[in-house]
């Protein structure tokens, strides 16, 4: 199984909005730190995704497999944008999406390639707050410490954690 | 290794302007010092007032402030504006391993 993730076009505007809000959170008025802040935001978002098992940034995900694809861990997954079986385009409605689980079945030995949308256009507020706290901790004191995430971030992300699919 | 200072930008509740001093020459080639605003940013400002004895037995209050803010290439040729007053920067030091700096400045009496 090959899984490839690309950020959707919308993720750029989501990130740029997040950056402006993050600068307000930090009370930064200049653009001097923008590159660093963006890096820290992206790193914190990835950490939040790992922590919860969700996909927060709007993404296009491609899964390639043989005969059957039955994969979970893509919450929130939306509609499939394309489905190819042995290089031939098929009806997208053959792809079953249930929460974070993707299911496609084809003839024995066929190559399947499915592409679908996942992620939030409006990232939930507790997730944004958690990501800001993480990124701020990295920005303010970029040195080794015992905790991976601030306690408040862990608590804010707790309700988003997904077990199973 | 010294203990790291923890700064919280939640305390940056004041807005300051940082002005760079540039020496220019006027029409008679005399040097004149002008200041231009380079940064406007949030900061924590602590006033440290002290009495200073001056001539004819009078005493005058000098106003010194300690400012914590985001780093900028400031030195003691800079000035800062805070609450409508101008201050001469007398020292600027980055707080190690953080994006913050501490400034000390003295009020300029006109």
């Amino acid at each position: 199984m090959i899984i490839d993730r690309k950020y959707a076009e919308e993720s750029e505007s989501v990130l740029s909005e997040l950056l402006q809000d993050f600068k307000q959170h930090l009370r930064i008025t200049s653009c001097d730190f923008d590159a660093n802040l963006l890096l820290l935001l992206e790193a914190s978002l990835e950490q939040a995704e790992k922590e919860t098992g969700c996909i927060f940034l709007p993404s296009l995900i491609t899964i390639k497999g043989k005969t059957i694809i039955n994969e979970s861990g893509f919450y929130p997954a939306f509609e499939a944008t394309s489905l190819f079986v042995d290089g031939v385009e098929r009806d997208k409605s053959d792809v079953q999406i249930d929460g974070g689980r993707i299911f496609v079945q084809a003839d024995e030995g066929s190559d399947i390639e499915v592409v679908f949308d996942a992620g939030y256009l409006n990232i939930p507020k507790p997730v944004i707050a958690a990501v800001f706290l993480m990124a701020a901790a990295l920005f303010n004191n970029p040195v080794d410490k015992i905790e991976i995430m601030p306690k408040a971030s862990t608590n804010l992300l707790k309700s988003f954690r997904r077990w199973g699919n | 290794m010294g203990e790291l200072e923890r700064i919280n930008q939640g305390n940056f509740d004041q807005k300051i302007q940082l002005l760079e001093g540039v020496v220019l020459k006027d029409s008679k080639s005399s040097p004149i010092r002008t200041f231009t605003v380079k940064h406007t940013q949030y900061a924590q400002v602590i006033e440290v007032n002290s009495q200073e004895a001056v001539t004819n037995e009078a005493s005058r209050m000098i106003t010194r402030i300690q400012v914590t803010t985001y780093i900028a290439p400031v030195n003691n040729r800079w000035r800062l504006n805070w609450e409508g007053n101008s201050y001469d920067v007398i020292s600027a030091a980055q707080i190690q391993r953080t994006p913050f700096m501490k400034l000390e400045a003295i009020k300029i009496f006109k």
Side-chain angles (χ1 to χ4, degrees):
Chain A
M1 200 76 64
I2 299 168
I3 299 169
D4 181 42
R5 178 182 175 187
K6 283 195 180 86
Y7 291 128
E9 275 174 31
E10 297 88 348
S11 68
E12 214 167 289
S13 63
V14 171
L15 271 174
S16 113
E17 249 175 67
L18 277 181
L19 178 64
Q20 292 315 313
D21 293 346
F22 186 44
K23 282 169 72 174
Q24 248 181 341
H25 173 84
L26 295 177
R27 300 184 181 195
I28 292 177
T29 49
S30 73
C31 298
D32 298 353
F33 303 103
D34 279 11
N36 186 26
L37 293 176
L38 194 61
L39 170 86
L40 296 176
L41 266 182
E42 286 174 336
S44 302
L45 266 169
E46 265 185 45
Q47 183 62 36
E49 287 184 347
K50 278 184 189 149
E51 191 69 18
T52 56
C54 293
I55 291 169
F56 293 125
L57 272 182
S59 306
L60 270 180
I61 295 172
T62 307
I63 305 179
K64 292 176 185 173
K66 270 197 186 300
T67 312
I68 190 165
I69 288 174
N70 188 13
E71 286 290 307
S72 61
F74 302 103
Y75 184 85
F78 301 107
E79 55 174 359
T81 53
S82 71
L83 170 66
F84 285 88
V85 176
D86 285 333
V88 180
E89 188 155 18
R90 290 282 184 86
D91 190 359
K92 291 179 287 191
S93 61
D94 290 347
V95 182
Q96 292 170 36
I97 296 178
D98 176 23
R101 181 172 289 278
I102 311 298
F103 181 83
V104 193
Q105 197 167 13
D107 296 335
E108 186 68 35
S110 313
D111 291 320
I112 307 171
E113 183 183 316
V114 60
V115 182
F116 60 94
D117 291 322
Y120 292 88
L121 277 178
N122 293 308
I123 300 175
K125 297 279 188 286
V127 174
I128 293 177
V131 165
F132 283 2
L133 287 171
M134 274 191 267
L138 291 169
F139 179 68
N140 290 349
N141 297 290
V143 287
D144 286 345
K145 53 184 176 180
I146 303 162
E147 311 90 19
I148 298 166
M149 292 205 300
K151 237 337 174 232
S153 295
T154 315
N155 291 336
L156 284 164
L157 292 175
K158 214 175 262 176
S159 59
F160 292 88
R161 197 171 288 164
R162 297 185 63 81
W163 309 104
N165 67 344
Chain B
M1 205 168 79
E3 200 174 312
L4 287 171
E5 193 171 350
R6 300 270 165 192
I7 305 290
N8 185 344
Q9 55 274 96
N11 296 327
F12 292 4
D13 55 358
Q14 302 292 314
K15 228 171 188 182
I16 59 162
Q17 285 181 323
L18 295 168
L19 300 89
E20 187 182 22
V22 184
V23 177
L24 300 170
K25 293 205 170 163
D26 65 9
S27 55
K28 291 171 188 160
S29 290
S30 311
I32 48 162
R33 215 166 149 214
T34 57
F35 290 88
T36 47
V37 177
K38 289 282 172 171
H39 306 276
T40 302
Q41 55 197 52
Y42 284 97
Q44 180 185 21
V45 181
I46 299 168
E47 274 187 293
V48 189
N49 297 327
S50 61
Q51 296 285 332
E52 186 190 36
V54 290
T55 53
N56 66 19
E57 295 176 356
S59 74
R60 187 171 85 170
M61 187 76 92
I62 64 158
T63 309
R64 182 187 287 253
I65 53 170
Q66 287 175 347
V67 178
T68 310
T69 186
Y70 287 104
I71 46 172
V74 176
N75 56 37
N76 56 9
R77 289 187 295 278
W78 286 53
R79 274 187 183 170
L80 70 86
N81 288 343
W82 175 57
E83 285 195 335
N85 295 311
S86 290
Y87 294 80
D88 256 332
V89 173
I90 54 170
S91 75
Q94 189 189 346
I95 302 169
Q96 278 202 340
R97 302 196 202 180
T98 73
F100 307 110
M101 66 175 176
K102 277 199 171 167
L103 302 175
E104 284 215 9
I106 289 182
K107 192 171 180 177
I108 302 162
F109 290 93
K110 288 166 188 166

